[in-house]
Amino acid sequence: MNRLAAALPRLSTPVLAQLLERRATGWVIGAAALAHLVLMRFDLPAWQCTVRDAVGIPCPGCGLSRAITALVHGQWRDALTLHAFAPVILAGLVLVTGMALLPEAARRRGISAVARFEQRTGLTALLLLTLVGYWLTRLIFFRSAFIDSTR
C-alpha cells in the first residue's frame, strides 16, 4: 500500500498540461499530424515507423495513423481493429491543436482545467501506461497478426 501511495503523486503530475503550455508545440504537432493524415489519405508516401524499421517490431503507436484516418471517415470498427487507442489519440490531437489556436486568456483557463483534471485523476499517466500494456499484449499474444497489420 505504501508503494502505491508513493506512486500516486507521480501519476497525477500534469503531463498534458505541461505540453499545452507551449503554444508552438501544439502548432507543430497539429500541422505534422494533419500533413501525415493528408499524405496517407491520398496514398502518398508518409512517415514510416522508425522503431519498426530499426528494431523490426512495431512501436506502441504502430497502426494509429491508419486507425485515425478510418476514424475520421466514420469507420469505427476498422479504426478500433487497427488500434484501440485511436479515439483517445485523436481527442488528444484535437485538444493540443485546439488549445494552441485559442486566445491567450481562454488558453490559460483551459490549461488550468486540464492540469486540475490530471492532478485529480492521473488519467494521462494511466493512459500512457495502458498504451504500453496494450502494445505488450499485442506483441506477446497476437504477434504475427500485429506485425502483419503494421506493414
Side-chain angles (χ1 to χ4, degrees), residues 16-70:
L16 185 57
Q18 290 177 13
L19 177 70
L20 296 174
E21 286 287 341
R22 297 172 193 87
R23 186 185 296 264
T25 302
W27 291 338
V28 169
I29 289 171
L34 181 62
H36 184 66
L37 292 174
V38 167
L39 288 171
M40 288 188 61
R41 169 68 178 95
F42 294 105
D43 295 323
L44 296 169
W47 296 286
Q48 299 299 311
C49 177
T50 55
V51 172
R52 189 186 68 223
D53 291 344
V55 183
I57 60 171
C59 75
C62 272
L64 271 171
S65 298
R66 287 177 292 134
I68 289 173
T69 301

Side-chain angles (χ1 to χ4, degrees), residues 67-148:
I68 289 173
T69 301
L71 195 60
V72 168
H73 286 92
Q75 300 164 342
W76 280 83
R77 179 172 287 166
D78 293 342
L80 294 175
T81 299
L82 288 165
H83 204 295
F85 276 73
V88 174
I89 300 299
L90 181 59
L93 286 171
V94 168
L95 177 68
V96 169
T97 305
M99 292 291 279
L101 300 173
L102 286 176
E104 189 59 27
R107 192 168 84 72
R108 286 276 138 222
R109 286 191 304 273
I111 292 169
S112 178
V114 168
R116 283 192 311 274
F117 179 78
E118 285 184 290
Q119 288 169 337
R120 276 196 307 265
T121 65
L123 184 62
T124 306
L126 289 172
L127 282 172
L128 291 172
L129 290 172
T130 306
L131 174 64
V132 171
Y134 173 71
W135 170 67
L136 288 172
T137 300
R138 291 173 83 193
L139 196 57
I140 294 168
F141 298 108
F142 307 102
R143 184 178 187 90
S144 59
F146 181 35
I147 290 174
D148 290 344

